[in-house]
């Protein structure tokens, strides 16, 4: 592939010009909290340019994997709609950290442009910063002055930040032809239609001060970036990145999988293919490097990319997950240069499929309403999605505003943001940008106008676990029905219910809805809006009819366990703030009958002592048996009370419910809780871990579950004490003795091995022979294979050898090691080459360098032939 050829030639060119070839860093900049994704080749060298560290090279070259989807480099809006914008791309670059500056950088760029890329000289234009006379004069040696354009600070002066390294830029452009634009030079072509930028040279020579002034840097640097895909598009004469070799294969596969024809002249069709192909690359490389779609930070960006790709695929006719089917083609195109893709193929496919399945369910719920909104906007004079419709898409169907704006752009529509903002302010709700996705078997459009015909569903489960209710409606197969028969699955809506609908991290109640002999097993409860509660389940026996009275009863034992863990979660949140600081904020939670899980923002792991302190605080409050009160306040009142925790991003109405534990813990919460803390019995933290950058997770148990944990732990300790034949209260002493004995035995073993090695050393002299002028040692050893390398290094030095070959047998296998000094290398002997010839004799393989190489095999009987062949090889070279 041409892209592979250009990448290789670029790196080899700079390698021959004394640059270290540095592998691409991860697209996830784990050591740079200022970035969501690696978006430029210089990211991994940032510490060098800032002078914070040094490395064993002063010039480097890379082909860097980059993702640009947010902040300063947000290209997402343009991807698919232009010939050059991508979210994932490869940035070829060369860098100098005080080694060379403008003269060499410009020379390198010109030579690569002409000799490596093979561009015609008369097609090349450059821009320079208007005050950078040095670069202007240097470029005159390569190009006529009329093709060197001066540009202002906005276009040709780079800064790392508000302060720090900065300097002028020089950009290289390729003239793609006057048929693309009437512009006469790059300055007249800001959209880059005719003059395509393919390389940017940044000369870091100044230090930007807080007051806006600049000082010269003591060490000047060079940072360049050349987009591989753009270069290939020029070479192939397409001037469109989506028409190059990599994308051609992906587009062909997309067409095959989805069953849609790629039409290069149809902007709507071609854009859809481009978006899918581009977003697939971003998703795969990000997942490989440790990220995955989620509701926060870079995970949220990835989720947005995946959903955008799926929406475009639906325009092409896709109606089921498909991205995983494209991954093998991407690996075929790029796997040889990025082996991590192949190694992670299974994980990539699994994550993509799970995410797609989830989003297809979301689209199924909101698809009908979305299509009608788009159609209505298309037919309107203003060609815009109304604020009311945009708000409905976000509030009811979980579409983030950013996604609504992208949908509008894709369909050439606007959004009435002013009306949207007014509605959002009135409702006093800030959605979680699709973070709290609600899934229902029946589409939410079913419930529009429901409360106009029926009364609202009332939740009475705070005080009742069983109610006499009436069936308002039965929904089966997405339709309202009058009768439900045995064995059928459905949603049932009651006028009042004790069943808690899953929200706020608390899982749903389960239980039974019955009428005489009829029994409906409830497995899931949801609330599609504030006035409707649906009970999902199966009618196990009998018949149910809409309108008839029923008894609704929850599983009270399970509910009480859930209540224990929910109240414990509030205590944990309070204790975390006491021990770690007031900055602790909830980032997610799960409360069920078995455990609680609490995610929170914190910059480092919680120490063992801190976890103990947290546990002790919680348990002290439990023993005090404080009452747990609940009451309602207006949201306006709550916002004026700083002691009440509220989670911005959660949806709140004008009236909110407060859970108040003895005035020391107050939170807005719609969940169910214990009446007194004493019911929690005992609280125990099971695990503390990291789930994302800056987000920690604690898993814990309370009441019965914590007792079970302690009993299990006690059983394990008693079993261990029994095995050691020691009383439980002396178990630690016995273990200390065992550890001490182990340490002593290891020390004795080490001494024994040392003596054995010394004994072997004394017998090695008789195996040394002189071949011509070379001192050669070749023999088998009886040592631990782990000792082979250090023992060989020691003997090679002590005996002043020119060549060495050792062989070791171990458990039906064997290892061989060869060392060659400079003198032997000069006559053509190489450890790496020798190992390559010897390893087949032991049915193995290995490798190394010219001075030392090693191999392992499964044929110890072949060692005799190894030693004989080794001597023959040495003699042949001498």
């Amino acid at each position: 592939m041409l892209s592979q050829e250009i990448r290789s030639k670029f790196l080899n060119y700079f390698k021959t010009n004394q640059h270290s070839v540095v592998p691409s860093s991860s697209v996830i900049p784990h050591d740079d909290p200022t970035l969501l994704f690696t978006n430029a080749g210089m990211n991994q060298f940032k510490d060098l340019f800032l002078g914070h560290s040094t490395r064993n090279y002063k010039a480097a070259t890379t082909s860097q994997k980059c993702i640009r989807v947010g902040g300063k480099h947000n290209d997402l809006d343009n991807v698919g709609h232009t010939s050059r914008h991508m979210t994932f791309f490869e940035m070829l670059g060369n860098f100098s950290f005080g080694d060379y500056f403008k003269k060499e950088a410009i020379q390198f760029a010109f030579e690569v442009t002409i000799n490596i890329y093979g561009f015609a000289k008369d097609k090349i234009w450059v821009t320079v910063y208007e005050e950078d006379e040095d670069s202007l004069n240097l470029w005159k040696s390569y190009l006529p002055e009329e093709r060197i354009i001066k540009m202002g600070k906005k276009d040709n002066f780079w800064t790392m930040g508000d302060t720090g390294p900065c300097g002028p830029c020089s950009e290289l452009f390729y003239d793609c032809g006057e048929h693309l634009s009437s512009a006469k030079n790059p300055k007249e072509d800001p959209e880059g239609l005719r003059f395509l930028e393919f390389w940017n040279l940044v000369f870091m020579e100044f230090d930007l001060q807080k007051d806006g002034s600049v000082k010269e840097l003591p060490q000047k640097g060079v940072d360049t970036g050349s987009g591989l895909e753009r270069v290939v598009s020029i070479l192939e004469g397409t001037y469109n990145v989506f028409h190059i070799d990599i994308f051609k294969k992906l587009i062909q596969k997309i067409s095959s999988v989805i069953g849609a024809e790629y039409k290069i002249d149809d902007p709507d069709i071609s854009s859809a293919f481009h978006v899918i192909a581009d977003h697939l690359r971003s998703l795969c490389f990000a997942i490989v490097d440790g990220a995955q779609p989620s509701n926060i930070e870079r995970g949220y960006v990835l989720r947005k990319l995946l959903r955008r790709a799926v929406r475009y695929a639906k325009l092409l006719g896709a109606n089921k997950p498909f991205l995983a089917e494209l991954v093998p083609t991407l690996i075929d195109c790029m796997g040889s240069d990025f082996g991590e893709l192949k190694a992670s193929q299974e994980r990539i496919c699994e994550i993509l499929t799970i995410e797609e399945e989830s989003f297809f369910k979301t689209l199924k719920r909101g698809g009908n309403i979305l299509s009608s909104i788009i159609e209505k906007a298309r037919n309107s004079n203003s060609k815009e999605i109304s604020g009311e419709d945009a708000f409905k898409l976000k509030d009811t169907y979980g579409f983030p505003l950013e996604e609504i704006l992208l949908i509008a752009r894709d369909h050439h529509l606007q959004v009435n943001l002013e009306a949207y903002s007014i509605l959002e302010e009135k409702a006093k709700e800030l959605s979680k940008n699709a973070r709290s996705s609600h899934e229902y078997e029946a589409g939410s459009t079913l419930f529009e106008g429901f409360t106009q015909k029926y009364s609202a569903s009332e939740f009475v489960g705070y005080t009742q676990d069983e109610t006499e209710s009436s069936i308002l409606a039965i929904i089966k197969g997405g339709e309202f029905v009058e009768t439900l028969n045995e064995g059928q699955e459905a949603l049932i809506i009651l006028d009042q219910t004790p069943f808690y609908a899953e929200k706020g991290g608390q899982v749903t109640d389960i239980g039974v809805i019955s009428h005489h002999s009829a029994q409906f097993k409830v497995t899931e409860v949801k609330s599609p809006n504030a006035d409707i509660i649906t009970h999902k389940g199966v009618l196990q026996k009998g018949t149910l009819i809409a309108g008839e009275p029923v008894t609704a009863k929850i599983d009270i034992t399970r509910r009480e366990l859930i209540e224990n863990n929910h109240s414990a979660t509030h205590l944990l949140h309070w204790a975390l703030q006491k021990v770690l600081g007031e900055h602790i904020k909830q980032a997610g939670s799960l409360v069920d009958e078995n455990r609680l899980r609490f995610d929170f923002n914190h910059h480092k792991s919680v120490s063992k002592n801190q976890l103990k302190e947290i546990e002790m605080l919680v348990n002290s409050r439990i023993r005090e048996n404080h009452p747990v009160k609940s009451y309602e306040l207006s949201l306006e009142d709550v916002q004026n009370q700083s002691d009440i925790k509220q989670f911005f991003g959660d949806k709140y109405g004008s009236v909110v419910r407060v859970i108040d534990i003895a005035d020391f813990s107050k939170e807005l919460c719609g969940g169910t809780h214990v009446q007194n803390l004493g019911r929690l019995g005992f609280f125990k933290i099971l695990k503390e871990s990291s789930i994302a950058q800056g987000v920690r997770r604690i898993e814990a148990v309370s009441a019965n579950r914590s007792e079970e944990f302690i009993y299990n732990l006690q059983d394990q300790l008693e079993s261990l004490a029994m095995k050691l034949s020691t009383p439980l209260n002396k178990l630690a002493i016995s273990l200390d003795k065992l550890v001490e004995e182990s340490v002593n035995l290891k020390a004795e073993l080490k001494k024994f091995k040392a003596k054995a090695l010394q004994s072997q050393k004394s017998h090695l002299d008789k195996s040394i022979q002189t071949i011509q002028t070379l001192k050669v040692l070749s023999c088998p050893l009886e040592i631990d294979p782990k000792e082979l390398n250090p023992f060989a290094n020691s003997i090679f030095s002590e005996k002043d050898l020119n060549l060495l070959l050792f062989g070791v047998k171990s458990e039906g296998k064997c290892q061989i090691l060869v060392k060659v000094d400079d003198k032997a290398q000069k006559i053509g002997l190489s450890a790496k080459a020798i190992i390559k010839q010897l390893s087949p004799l032991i049915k193995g393989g290995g490798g190394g360098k010219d001075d030392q190489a090693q191999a392992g095999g499964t044929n110890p009987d072949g060692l005799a032939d190894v030693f004989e062949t080794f001597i023959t090889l040495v003699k042949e070279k001498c």
Side-chain angles (χ1 to χ4, degrees):
M1 291 173 64
L2 183 58
S3 54
Q4 291 176 303
E5 180 183 340
I6 293 300
R7 184 193 300 117
S8 176
K9 285 183 175 180
F10 182 94
L11 296 176
N12 284 334
Y13 169 85
F14 283 100
K15 182 178 181 180
T16 60
N17 282 279
Q18 288 71 55
H19 287 65
S20 293
V21 178
V22 180
S24 170
S25 65
S26 164
V27 295
I28 309 302
H30 299 290
D31 56 352
D32 190 344
T34 67
L35 293 172
L36 280 180
F37 299 98
T38 299
N39 57 28
M42 65 81 62
N43 289 163
Q44 68 168 310
F45 304 117
K46 189 174 178 180
D47 58 335
L48 296 180
F49 286 121
L50 290 171
H52 293 165
S53 68
T54 58
R55 302 185 193 177
N56 61 353
Y57 52 79
K58 300 195 73 175
T61 184
T62 65
S63 179
Q64 175 64 50
K65 303 176 292 185
C66 297
I67 294 179
R68 289 185 181 177
V69 287
K72 179 181 177 181
H73 299 292
N74 192 339
D75 291 335
L76 186 57
D77 289 0
N78 295 317
V79 172
H81 298 278
T82 73
S83 61
R84 65 186 187 280
H85 284 99
M86 299 167 289
T87 59
F88 177 89
F89 59 97
E90 283 186 67
M91 183 71 83
L92 304 173
N94 59 291
F95 309 87
S96 168
F97 317 106
D99 184 52
Y100 60 83
F101 201 46
K102 294 179 183 178
K103 179 182 178 181
E104 295 84 353
I106 289 173
Q107 178 185 340
F108 289 149
F110 184 78
E111 289 182 359
V112 169
T113 296
I114 304 303
N115 301 327
I116 302 300
Y117 293 167
F119 292 170
K121 183 178 177 180
D122 61 356
K123 292 285 188 178
I124 306 304
W125 290 68
V126 299
T127 61
V128 297
Y129 178 48
E130 58 192 3
E131 297 179 17
D132 185 9
E133 293 298 319
D134 291 341
S135 293
L136 175 66
N137 292 326
L138 287 166
W139 274 117
K140 287 179 182 178
S141 302
Y142 302 98
L143 296 172
E145 190 168 354
E146 61 265 26
R147 282 195 272 127
I148 306 171
I149 309 299
K150 289 186 176 182
M151 301 285 277
K153 196 168 188 176
K154 178 182 177 182
D155 295 296
N156 278 64
F157 195 90
W158 180 89
T159 59
M160 185 176 286
D162 295 332
T163 60
C166 62
C169 306
S170 185
E171 296 180 325
L172 284 76
F173 295 78
Y174 186 88
D175 182 359
C176 301
E178 60 185 8
H179 64 287
L180 296 172
S181 168
S182 60
K184 300 301 182 184
N185 58 61
K187 195 170 188 176
E188 297 177 6
D189 188 24
E191 295 299 319
L193 298 176
R194 173 178 176 179
F195 298 93
L196 182 62
E197 179 208 342
F198 65 89
W199 207 336
N200 185 19
L201 317 179
V202 178
F203 305 118
M204 298 186 196
E205 58 181 318
F206 303 112
D207 186 6
L208 181 61
Q209 306 299 300
K210 288 183 180 180
D211 62 2
S213 63
V214 294
K215 296 180 180 179
E216 280 203 9
L217 285 170
Q219 176 180 288
K220 294 179 172 59
V222 174
D223 159 27
T224 87
S226 178
L228 174 61
E229 292 85 353
R230 290 192 183 186
V231 170
V232 175
S233 76
I234 294 171
L235 285 170
E236 292 187 346
T238 65
Y239 311 120
N240 187 322
V241 295
F242 295 106
H243 296 165
I244 68 171
D245 47 20
I246 293 175
F247 282 102
K248 281 180 181 177
K249 291 189 176 183
L250 286 174
I251 287 170
Q252 288 171 2
K253 185 63 176 179
I254 294 167
S255 178
S256 171
V257 169
I258 295 179
E261 182 182 356
Y262 178 70
K263 298 178 181 179
I264 195 170
D265 296 322
D266 186 330
D268 292 329
I269 297 296
S270 60
S271 292
F273 278 87
H274 299 166
V275 167
I276 296 167
D278 169 81
H279 291 6
L280 175 77
R281 297 210 304 167
S282 284
L283 287 162
C284 290
F285 278 96
I287 291 170
V288 161
D289 285 342
Q292 66 182 71
S294 69
N295 294 330
I296 57 174
E297 299 181 333
R298 62 177 62 94
Y300 170 65
V301 174
L302 294 180
R303 179 162 285 168
K304 184 162 64 173
L305 287 179
L306 182 140
R307 292 186 168 193
R308 188 167 187 252
V310 170
R311 284 195 296 98
Y312 273 97
K314 283 183 68 66
L315 295 176
L316 298 176
N319 55 16
K320 63 179 182 178
F322 67 98
L323 287 172
E325 295 182 61
L326 307 178
V327 174
T329 301
L330 177 64
I331 292 173
D332 287 342
C333 293
M334 303 186 72
S336 60
D337 295 293
F338 299 98
E340 63 268 33
L341 280 174
K342 180 65 176 177
S344 301
Q345 180 175 349
E346 184 175 342
R347 178 171 176 268
I348 293 170
C349 292
E350 181 180 359
I351 290 173
L352 292 177
T353 302
I354 290 172
E355 277 295 315
E356 283 185 273
E357 288 173 345
S358 174
F359 188 50
F360 269 101
K361 289 177 182 177
T362 299
L363 289 175
K364 186 177 180 181
R365 297 197 321 272
N368 293 336
I369 189 70
L370 177 60
S371 298
S372 64
I373 287 173
I374 291 171
E375 190 61 29
K376 183 171 73 174
R378 277 177 168 171
N379 294 330
S380 68
N381 293 329
S382 60
K383 302 296 181 186
E384 71 173 14
I385 295 174
S386 70
E388 291 84 355
D389 285 338
F391 186 78
K392 182 187 288 186
L393 284 173
K394 182 182 180 185
D395 187 55
T396 305
Y397 302 104
F399 284 88
L401 177 59
E402 299 95 326
E403 192 160 331
I404 295 169
L405 293 172
L406 287 175
I407 292 171
R409 175 185 172 85
D410 296 339
H411 292 277
H412 313 294
L413 300 171
Q414 301 296 317
V415 177
N416 190 330
L417 292 175
E418 184 178 354
Y420 172 91
S421 299
I422 292 172
L423 287 168
E424 188 173 55
E425 183 63 24
K426 281 183 178 179
K428 295 182 182 293
E429 294 178 346
L430 295 170
S431 98
K432 283 188 174 181
N433 292 341
R435 297 180 189 183
S436 52
S437 176
H438 299 292
E439 295 179 7
Y440 304 94
E441 180 183 283
S444 297
T445 51
L446 274 172
F447 305 116
E448 289 185 5
F450 180 85
T451 52
Q452 295 175 8
K453 182 178 180 182
Y454 303 98
S455 61
S457 303
E458 182 185 3
F459 173 65
V460 296
Y462 292 135
T463 57
Q464 301 178 55
D465 53 55
E466 181 177 341
T467 62
E468 297 303 318
S469 309
S470 295
I471 297 178
L472 296 180
I474 300 173
I475 302 169
K476 182 171 72 72
E479 296 180 351
F480 288 97
V481 297
E482 290 298 315
T483 305
L484 186 67
N485 297 315
E486 186 174 319
Q488 292 180 331
E489 187 178 84
L491 299 179
I492 291 179
I493 302 175
L494 305 176
D495 60 343
Q496 63 173 358
T497 178
F499 286 86
Y500 181 83
E502 180 178 352
K503 60 180 178 291
Q506 180 174 328
V507 297
T508 179
D509 277 327
I510 62 173
V512 175
I513 296 174
S514 60
H515 174 71
H516 299 312
S517 62
Q519 194 170 63
F520 181 84
K521 184 179 181 181
V522 178
T523 57
E524 185 178 61
V525 185
K526 298 284 188 180
S527 181
N529 62 48
D531 295 325
I532 298 174
I533 299 171
T534 63
H535 306 73
K536 181 180 179 180
V538 176
L539 186 59
Q540 295 182 317
K541 60 180 180 178
T543 300
L544 286 178
I545 301 172
E548 68 182 359
V550 292
T551 299
K553 185 177 181 179
I554 66 170
D555 182 335
I556 186 61
T557 301
R558 180 176 178 274
R559 160 74 80 81
E560 288 177 348
L561 291 171
I562 294 169
E563 289 174 344
N564 293 339
N565 285 332
H566 202 156
S567 296
T569 301
H570 284 225
L571 287 179
L572 173 60
H573 194 178
W574 164 78
L576 282 166
Q577 289 191 328
K578 288 294 182 183
V579 174
L580 302 181
E582 292 298 317
H583 67 280
I584 297 298
K585 295 290 183 292
Q586 180 175 329
S589 68
L590 173 67
V591 178
D592 62 25
E593 70 272 26
N594 296 312
R595 59 168 180 155
L596 66 92
R597 190 180 74 199
F598 187 80
D599 302 336
F600 57 98
N601 299 106
H602 192 51
H603 61 286
K604 60 181 179 181
S605 62
V606 185
S607 70
K608 288 184 179 180
N609 287 336
Q610 288 173 326
L611 290 173
K612 284 182 181 179
E613 187 178 353
I614 290 165
E615 281 185 347
M616 290 171 66
L617 278 172
V618 171
N619 283 313
S620 68
R621 292 301 190 183
I622 292 173
R623 288 191 295 272
E624 291 166 2
N625 195 24
H626 293 287
V628 179
K629 298 179 290 185
S630 66
Y631 47 83
E632 292 184 341
L633 293 174
S634 70
L635 182 59
E636 186 177 356
D637 288 340
V638 167
Q639 290 172 333
N640 294 323
Q641 297 184 39
S642 60
D643 61 333
I644 300 178
K645 296 185 184 74
Q646 48 193 301
F647 308 109
F648 296 99
D650 277 358
K651 296 180 178 181
Y652 297 124
S654 57
V655 177
V656 293
R657 182 168 179 261
V658 179
I659 297 298
D660 185 340
I661 305 177
D663 288 332
F664 67 82
S665 170
K666 297 179 182 179
E667 293 189 22
L668 297 189
C669 180
T672 61
H673 290 267
V674 300
Q675 292 185 334
N676 296 89
L677 291 182
R679 205 180 87 185
L680 302 188
F682 181 65
F683 172 82
K684 180 63 183 173
I685 294 174
L686 304 181
K687 183 181 180 183
E688 190 274 341
S689 61
S690 170
I691 61 167
Q693 186 175 356
V695 182
R696 310 295 302 181
R697 169 172 290 173
I698 282 180
E699 297 176 52
V701 288
S702 66
N704 304 35
R705 298 296 188 239
S706 60
E707 290 174 7
E708 291 171 5
F709 173 79
I710 295 299
Y711 289 144
N712 288 334
L713 188 61
Q714 186 175 1
D715 288 344
Q716 292 177 40
L717 290 173
E718 288 176 350
S719 174
L720 187 58
M722 189 178 297
K723 289 178 180 178
L724 296 177
S725 301
T726 188
L728 190 60
N729 62 350
K730 293 184 178 180
L731 181 59
I733 296 173
S734 297
L735 285 173
D736 287 341
K737 287 182 179 179
L738 276 177
V739 171
E740 185 179 354
E741 289 175 8
S742 176
V743 170
N744 292 335
L745 285 172
K746 286 180 180 179
E748 289 296 320
L749 181 60
K750 189 175 181 180
K751 290 179 182 178
F752 176 79
K753 285 183 176 181
K755 287 181 180 179
L757 290 175
Q758 191 61 41
S759 174
Q760 294 228 23
K761 283 184 180 180
S762 63
H763 294 91
L764 291 177
D765 288 342
K766 62 183 180 182
S767 297
I768 296 175
Q769 56 182 301
T770 301
I771 301 176
Q772 295 292 355
T773 60
L774 299 179
K775 193 175 181 183
V776 181
L777 172 59
S778 168
C779 67
L781 297 175
E782 294 181 4
I783 64 173
D784 188 329
K786 294 178 182 177
E787 303 288 342
L788 180 59
N789 210 324
F791 185 71
N793 291 335
S794 174
I795 293 299
F796 199 71
S797 175
E798 287 179 21
K799 304 295 184 181
D800 195 24
L801 300 171
N802 301 114
L803 288 110
L804 173 150
L805 168 63
F806 282 154
V808 176
K809 297 179 181 180
S810 176
E811 299 178 352
K813 297 180 181 180
C814 61
Q815 288 189 35
I816 55 176
L817 183 147
V818 175
K819 292 183 71 67
V820 180
D821 76 348
D822 291 341
K823 180 179 178 181
Q825 288 180 46
K826 287 179 180 178
I827 64 170
L829 288 165
S830 161
K832 183 178 179 181
I834 292 172
I835 279 291
K836 187 175 182 180
Q837 289 185 264
L838 298 181
S839 57
L841 301 175
I842 57 170
K843 296 181 179 179
K849 298 181 179 180
D850 289 335
D851 61 339
Q852 180 172 318
Q854 202 166 342
T858 58
N859 179 30
D861 295 336
L863 284 177
D865 292 335
V866 165
F867 293 118
E868 183 179 340
T869 304
F870 173 71
I871 295 300
T872 301
L873 290 173
V874 174
K875 288 180 177 179
E876 286 176 354
K877 286 292 182 182
C878 292

